[in-house]
Amino acid sequence: MAEALTAEHILSTTEDVLRRYGPAKATVVDVARALGVSHGSVYRHFPTKAALREAVTERWLDQAHAGLADIAEATTPAPDRLRDWLRALFDSKRRKALGDPELFATFDVLAKENSDVIAEHIADLVGQLAKIVADGVKSKHFKTKDVQRTALAVFSATDRFHNPAHAREWTEPDVEDAFDAVCDLVIRGLAAR
Amino acid sequence: MAEALTAEHILSTTEDVLRRYGPAKATVVDVARALGVSHGSVYRHFPTKAALREAVTERWLDQAHAGLADIAEATTPAPDRLRDWLRALFDSKRRKALGDPELFATFDVLAKENSDVIAEHIADLVGQLAKIVADGVKSKHFKTKDVQRTALAVFSATDRFHNPAHAREWTEPDVEDAFDAVCDLVIRGLAAR
DNA sequence: GGACTGACAGATGTTGAAATCTGTCAGCTG
DNA sequence: CAGCTGACAGATTTCAACATCTGTCAGTCC
């Protein structure tokens, strides 16, 4: 009303609407109603509903994983840093899955649609892994011929602990054990002998 | 008609019906019709539709993975044997996903339902992994404190390449690379130094 | 009397008409 | 004239009547 209608304003309202109705029920009309404008105005800022969902998810992912980049950039020994980073990723994902289920469900929808936002998100995470692996090689903690390929392998091997498709398993009591066991295996697999 | 109605006969007809209609559409009435009996007769041999589906899937899984146990029992060096076994599992799963999609979909349904059949199937596979890991420890190729935990870690780390939830990824060109990279990482992680 | 049928109740699925939604755009409004 | 509205076409979703399915069981038929 008094405020100008900004993309930012639309995004945070959409987040609220998604949280209330979930990705299956939330409509652009709902968002417009919550903003007190016509839905045509929303289309002035976002070309499609999909673009809107993606923008919300992108923001949400950035916020959720803000701390990860710091861990990746730290100067701690690479093996410890890798374990901390994988742990932080797992904890962050699980916290979101349990504490913010509707937005997590939105994220899950995008993941199953091969959205660009998810591809970028994954590329970002694998890039951070590559940084840690490269540091480990430099410090002689790790040994590998192809850093990028190895970073991808680490990401694949820990898929169960960050891919939203597996979220239902994250409440089982054995996951913690499984996570630690996979971490041990992966870190040993990287180690220089 | 001339034949007596046996559980075996019902199972193979159900397999045909599932292949034709898929798990979502196939009904007990369809199976009975294909057998030329009333659906009440089917319930004489299987208590519920779910039990029937599970029995079919169990047979199908046994047949699909018949060769795996032989590999696990072989006397080749444990690292090679592990790689062969993981490769055989991946190939077998992928072949089924592409060549027998409706029964694979049935398997996928059971997997998402936490069915006992799937739990046993997994326990069987992890048992075979444990055999290979234990042999590797005996022959000094591998080193681990807890064989069972390690076998589970190997199974988790390669989840992307056998869990039906990931079947859509198995046709992407990069999977082969990813599979090899994860195998390398896992086998290095097991190796004694 | 053991194997099978078919009618049945309640649950689940299908269908098509009505309601709502997405995305566009000509026109209003300040 | 930049920002917004609201009517619109076509796509999608909802809803309720209807059909089919699951699982049971009294009764039929060798």
Side-chain angles (χ1 to χ4, degrees):
Chain A
M1 306 255 151
E3 302 286 308
L5 183 61
T6 64
E8 194 57 32
H9 195 183
I10 294 175
L11 282 181
S12 66
T13 302
T14 305
E15 213 174 290
D16 292 344
V17 170
L18 279 169
R19 252 193 272 271
R20 185 186 315 273
Y21 299 110
K25 296 279 184 187
T27 72
V28 176
V29 173
D30 291 331
V31 173
R33 189 167 24 239
L35 284 162
V37 300
S38 80
H39 75 281
S41 299
V42 175
Y43 280 98
R44 165 161 293 286
H45 292 86
F46 296 92
T48 64
K49 182 184 180 179
L52 181 55
R53 274 192 323 192
E54 286 179 20
V56 168
T57 305
E58 188 168 22
R59 245 174 50 131
W60 182 78
L61 283 173
D62 284 352
Q63 179 252 308
H65 298 319
L68 280 178
D70 295 336
I71 297 177
E73 302 287 337
T75 54
T76 47
D80 297 344
R81 196 170 357 138
L82 178 56
R83 187 182 295 276
D84 289 347
W85 189 91
L86 290 170
R87 163 58 69 187
L89 177 60
F90 182 31
D91 282 351
S92 161
K93 280 275 161 74
R94 185 166 46 179
R95 193 165 43 246
K96 285 296 178 185
L98 300 176
D100 203 354
E102 299 297 6
L103 279 191
F104 191 85
T106 308
F107 164 51
D108 190 31
V109 168
L110 292 197
K112 281 176 177 124
E113 277 171 2
N114 285 59
S115 139
D116 284 356
V117 169
I118 303 297
E120 271 170 46
H121 171 61
I122 291 175
D124 179 26
L125 293 178
V126 174
Q128 294 184 27
L129 274 173
K131 168 79 164 71
I132 300 175
V133 171
D135 284 358
V137 170
K138 231 174 282 168
S139 67
K140 311 276 192 206
H141 285 106
F142 293 158
K143 186 165 190 301
T144 180
K145 286 179 180 158
D146 183 338
V147 168
Q148 186 62 23
R149 175 182 132 105
T150 302
L152 263 167
V154 172
F155 196 73
S156 286
T158 52
D159 196 79
R160 259 192 82 191
F161 309 107
H162 49 69
N163 190 325
H166 291 285
R168 18 176 74 255
E169 301 166 26
W170 298 343
T171 52
E172 289 170 12
D174 306 344
V175 233
E176 281 302 316
D177 252 8
F179 174 78
D180 288 333
V182 170
C183 271
D184 290 348
L185 185 65
V186 163
I187 291 171
R188 276 192 57 175
L190 291 168
R193 281 89 239 259
Chain B
M1 304 252 157
E3 303 287 308
L5 184 62
T6 64
E8 193 56 31
H9 194 185
I10 294 174
L11 282 181
S12 66
T13 301
T14 305
E15 213 175 290
D16 293 343
V17 170
L18 278 170
R19 252 191 272 271
R20 187 186 314 271
Y21 300 109
K25 294 281 184 186
T27 73
V28 177
V29 173
D30 291 331
V31 173
R33 192 168 19 242
L35 284 162
V37 299
S38 79
H39 76 282
S41 299
V42 174
Y43 280 97
R44 166 161 293 285
H45 293 86
F46 295 92
T48 64
K49 182 184 182 178
L52 181 56
R53 275 192 323 194
E54 286 179 20
V56 168
T57 306
E58 190 169 20
R59 245 174 50 130
W60 182 77
L61 283 173
D62 284 352
Q63 179 253 307
H65 297 321
L68 280 178
D70 294 337
I71 298 177
E73 301 288 337
T75 54
T76 47
D80 297 343
R81 200 176 348 145
L82 178 57
R83 187 182 295 274
D84 290 346
W85 190 91
L86 290 170
R87 163 57 69 186
L89 177 62
F90 181 30
D91 282 350
S92 160
K93 279 276 160 73
R94 185 166 46 176
R95 194 165 41 245
K96 286 295 178 185
L98 299 177
D100 203 354
E102 298 297 6
L103 279 190
F104 191 85
T106 308
F107 165 51
D108 189 31
V109 167
L110 292 197
K112 279 174 179 128
E113 276 171 2
N114 285 63
S115 140
D116 283 356
V117 168
I118 304 297
E120 271 170 45
H121 172 61
I122 292 174
D124 178 26
L125 294 178
V126 174
Q128 294 184 27
L129 275 173
K131 167 78 164 71
I132 301 175
V133 172
D135 284 356
V137 170
K138 232 173 282 169
S139 67
K140 313 276 193 205
H141 286 106
F142 292 159
K143 187 165 189 302
T144 181
K145 285 179 179 157
D146 184 338
V147 168
Q148 185 62 23
R149 176 181 131 106
T150 303
L152 262 166
V154 172
F155 195 74
S156 285
T158 53
D159 196 78
R160 257 192 84 190
F161 309 106
H162 50 68
N163 190 325
H166 290 285
R168 15 173 79 255
E169 300 167 26
W170 298 343
T171 52
E172 290 169 12
D174 306 345
V175 232
E176 279 304 315
D177 253 8
F179 174 77
D180 289 332
V182 170
C183 271
D184 290 349
L185 186 65
V186 163
I187 291 170
R188 276 191 58 175
L190 290 168
R193 284 84 239 263

